[in-house]
Amino acid sequence: MLVGGLALTSFSALPVSAAADAAPTFEETFVRNESFTLTNTGTTPSPSLLNVSGLVGDVYDVDVTVNGIDHPRPSDLDVVVVAPGGASATIMSDIGGDQPLSALTTLTFDDDATAFAPPELTEGRYLPQDNDSDATDLDRVNSTTTLRDLTSGGVNGQWKLFIDDDSPGFDGAVLRWSLTFHFADLVTINGLPPDAVSSRSSFPLTGTGTPKHEIFVRLDGQASRPVIVADDGTWGTVFTDLAEGTHVATAANNSSGFTNYPVSLRLDMTAPAGSVVVRTSTGTPEVTSSRHVSVAVTASEALRGFRIRSASGAYGPLVSAGAPALWLLADTSGAQTVDVQLEDLAGNVSVTPILDTVTLDSVAPIVVTTSPAAGAIHVRRDRVVTARLGERATPTVAVPVRFLAQIFRTGLPRAIPAAVRWDATTSTVVITPKARMRARTRYKVVIQGFYDGAGNVLDQDPARAGVQPKVWYFRTR
């Protein structure tokens, strides 16, 4: 084989670090051990070949090192490296002036080097540099990209190094050359909860990666976005003006390898809607005797919770939507409106009033008229006894109505046999004795255990402790 017109000695290509089937380290070097001389032949030289295999992971950069360059005028040299996929990069052309290079000189070309080679070339690490303007020279014919970009098409395969002496009269030599591949840290995206949701039309993303390295972020499988990792190894970017729905983001060290863990975020910018029902101890009547009620909501979507207020007050703290919430009505008899504000998982709050109205009635029903009247005398012995309540009521279902309205002979513990009927239309209890009452006898009537629509039990004298039945007396003729 000829490079620069001179014969090559035998050589081998060996990785310096891990074996092919081992997990990659942060960098790995392959060496082409050869010694070849350089002369000008006027034609494109044959390349030196270096086979690379077994590299796995995100290789994002490659450095090229040429060892033992011995040449009296380095500015005559054009050096081009070609990746397995055909992409090429000029690492050295028309640089170094006329300062001779000794056989012990080692030059490393690195996209991350801090400077270009000095006018008088000495051993060191330099940025690739091409100062040649001749369109027919090797570097102009072949070079198209940077060293870092050489890795984008895959790194396993046959690499080529071309060294051309573009001026006659001087010969030189190269001892060997090598490639050092750099592995990027795994790009990560900071995690979100599985049900993450936002009320904004943007998707902010942050994560970690190799400092100063360009990574690629992709949203919903669309074109990738390049992002530069900061010096501290963190990165961030924001996708804006997104539509409602679930969006999925991925990130990787190259523009096509989006195989790492995705992160999803659901965007919800619509206010929730729903309804509210105020529940009482007896269900959901329109009136209640207790200020303590519970508030249950239904909504068009999953909720973070809801807030409650009376119509004229301020909303209370957010409470969970998983169960009805306790609420204390104002200590004011009459209709009261309960207003709720819904908040969905994205933080959107309802904008339309969501109301339910309940009437607080804490006044117990009482008997307002009786027949015969209290203290009546000369009452007929076959008289039907009635008592009318002042509001709509109903007897308790736990006790037969005959035990709620009774007539007693004064001084006796047992009520006289009677038929008892409740007239719900007029809220009147009717007591019909089964036999004529005794003449010139004093009787006592007791009415109790009737409830109004709010659940208040009959209490004829609320000023006294306990529940007071209606009691009155009359005397037969």
Side-chain angles (χ1 to χ4, degrees), residues 28-193:
E28 194 159 345
T29 299
F30 287 75
V31 179
R32 180 64 165 176
N33 284 313
E34 63 184 354
S35 177
F36 53 91
T37 56
L38 309 172
T39 60
N40 176 266
T41 63
T43 62
T44 300
S46 298
S48 173
L49 306 179
L50 176 54
N51 289 316
V52 173
S53 63
L55 295 185
V56 294
D58 287 316
V59 177
Y60 76 97
D61 193 12
V62 61
D63 303 336
V64 182
T65 299
V66 182
N67 301 90
I69 300 180
D70 185 2
H71 198 279
R73 195 164 67 185
S75 60
D76 289 351
L77 301 179
D78 296 329
V79 184
V80 176
V81 62
V82 181
S88 62
T90 297
I91 58 174
M92 174 179 175
S93 181
D94 284 22
I95 65 172
D98 296 334
Q99 178 69 28
L101 298 177
S102 71
L104 298 179
T105 302
T106 295
L107 300 177
T108 297
F109 295 93
D110 180 0
D111 282 342
D112 293 320
T114 58
F116 292 106
E120 295 185 354
L121 188 60
T122 58
E123 181 170 288
R125 179 179 294 270
Y126 304 113
L127 292 165
Q129 188 174 8
D130 183 359
N131 292 334
D132 194 354
S133 59
D134 189 340
T136 63
D137 281 355
L138 173 69
D139 59 306
R140 292 300 171 186
V141 175
N142 292 287
S143 182
T144 58
T145 187
T146 65
L147 286 175
R148 180 172 282 114
D149 289 337
L150 292 181
T151 64
S152 61
V155 295
N156 290 303
Q158 191 176 75
W159 289 70
K160 302 174 183 178
L161 182 71
F162 292 87
I163 303 180
D164 183 35
D165 186 339
D166 63 10
S167 297
F170 298 97
D171 295 336
V174 171
L175 179 61
R176 65 180 181 271
W177 67 285
S178 62
L179 299 172
T180 299
F181 297 94
H182 297 275
F183 293 86
D185 299 332
L186 177 66
V187 177
T188 66
I189 304 179
N190 291 336
L192 295 172

Side-chain angles (χ1 to χ4, degrees), residues 325-402:
L326 297 179
W327 183 249
L328 184 64
L329 298 174
D331 190 13
T332 304
S333 295
Q336 296 193 33
T337 299
V338 176
D339 179 6
V340 300
Q341 180 189 70
L342 309 181
E343 181 174 326
D344 64 19
L345 298 178
N348 301 301
V349 297
S350 54
V351 294
T352 302
I354 302 174
L355 311 172
D356 192 21
T357 300
V358 63
T359 297
L360 178 62
D361 176 9
S362 56
V363 178
I366 61 173
V367 173
V368 293
T369 61
T370 65
S371 178
I377 58 176
H378 304 300
V379 175
R380 288 177 17 219
R381 294 168 56 194
D382 59 352
R383 179 70 176 268
V384 173
V385 178
T386 64
R388 184 173 65 83
L389 278 66
E391 60 182 291
R392 288 189 177 276
T394 184
T396 178
V397 296
V399 180
V401 68
R402 68 178 184 274

Side-chain angles (χ1 to χ4, degrees), residues 127-437:
L127 292 165
Q129 188 174 8
D130 183 359
N131 292 334
D132 194 354
S133 59
D134 189 340
T136 63
D137 281 355
L138 173 69
D139 59 306
R140 292 300 171 186
V141 175
N142 292 287
S143 182
T144 58
T145 187
T146 65
L147 286 175
R148 180 172 282 114
D149 289 337
L150 292 181
T151 64
S152 61
V155 295
N156 290 303
Q158 191 176 75
W159 289 70
K160 302 174 183 178
L161 182 71
F162 292 87
I163 303 180
D164 183 35
D165 186 339
D166 63 10
S167 297
F170 298 97
D171 295 336
V174 171
L175 179 61
R176 65 180 181 271
W177 67 285
S178 62
L179 299 172
T180 299
F181 297 94
H182 297 275
F183 293 86
D185 299 332
L186 177 66
V187 177
T188 66
I189 304 179
N190 291 336
L192 295 172
D195 57 351
V197 62
S198 172
S199 61
R200 301 178 182 273
S201 62
S202 59
F203 193 168
L205 293 164
T206 59
T208 61
T210 301
K212 301 181 181 179
H213 176 45
E214 183 179 60
I215 65 169
F216 297 87
V217 184
R218 179 176 292 175
L219 187 68
D220 299 334
Q222 303 300 315
S224 59
R225 172 184 292 184
V227 178
I228 302 299
V229 180
D231 291 349
D232 63 357
T234 63
W235 60 268
T237 188
V238 180
F239 290 89
T240 59
D241 299 324
L242 302 178
E244 287 192 322
T246 299
H247 299 272
V248 179
T250 54
N253 282 304
N254 57 76
S255 59
S256 59
F258 290 88
T259 57
N260 60 332
Y261 303 107
V263 171
S264 63
L265 176 67
R266 182 169 64 86
L267 301 184
D268 174 9
M269 294 160 277
T270 302
S275 61
V276 58
V277 174
V278 177
R279 301 183 184 275
T280 69
S281 60
T282 56
T284 57
E286 295 181 353
V287 288
T288 178
S289 61
S290 173
R291 294 175 58 198
H292 297 275
V293 295
S294 63
V295 179
V297 301
T298 58
S300 58
E301 58 182 293
L303 296 178
R304 180 180 296 167
F306 60 95
R307 300 175 179 86
I308 312 171
R309 70 174 180 181
S310 298
S312 59
Y315 285 114
L318 189 71
V319 296
S320 172
L326 297 179
W327 183 249
L328 184 64
L329 298 174
D331 190 13
T332 304
S333 295
Q336 296 193 33
T337 299
V338 176
D339 179 6
V340 300
Q341 180 189 70
L342 309 181
E343 181 174 326
D344 64 19
L345 298 178
N348 301 301
V349 297
S350 54
V351 294
T352 302
I354 302 174
L355 311 172
D356 192 21
T357 300
V358 63
T359 297
L360 178 62
D361 176 9
S362 56
V363 178
I366 61 173
V367 173
V368 293
T369 61
T370 65
S371 178
I377 58 176
H378 304 300
V379 175
R380 288 177 17 219
R381 294 168 56 194
D382 59 352
R383 179 70 176 268
V384 173
V385 178
T386 64
R388 184 173 65 83
L389 278 66
E391 60 182 291
R392 288 189 177 276
T394 184
T396 178
V397 296
V399 180
V401 68
R402 68 178 184 274
F403 295 112
L404 304 181
Q406 297 175 303
I407 302 174
F408 297 85
R409 286 171 56 191
T410 302
L412 296 180
R414 296 183 62 181
I416 67 174
V420 180
R421 178 175 59 87
W422 170 251
D423 186 344
T425 302
T426 61
S427 296
T428 301
V429 61
V430 180
I431 310 171
T432 304
K434 293 186 177 182
R436 289 165 59 89
M437 291 181 284

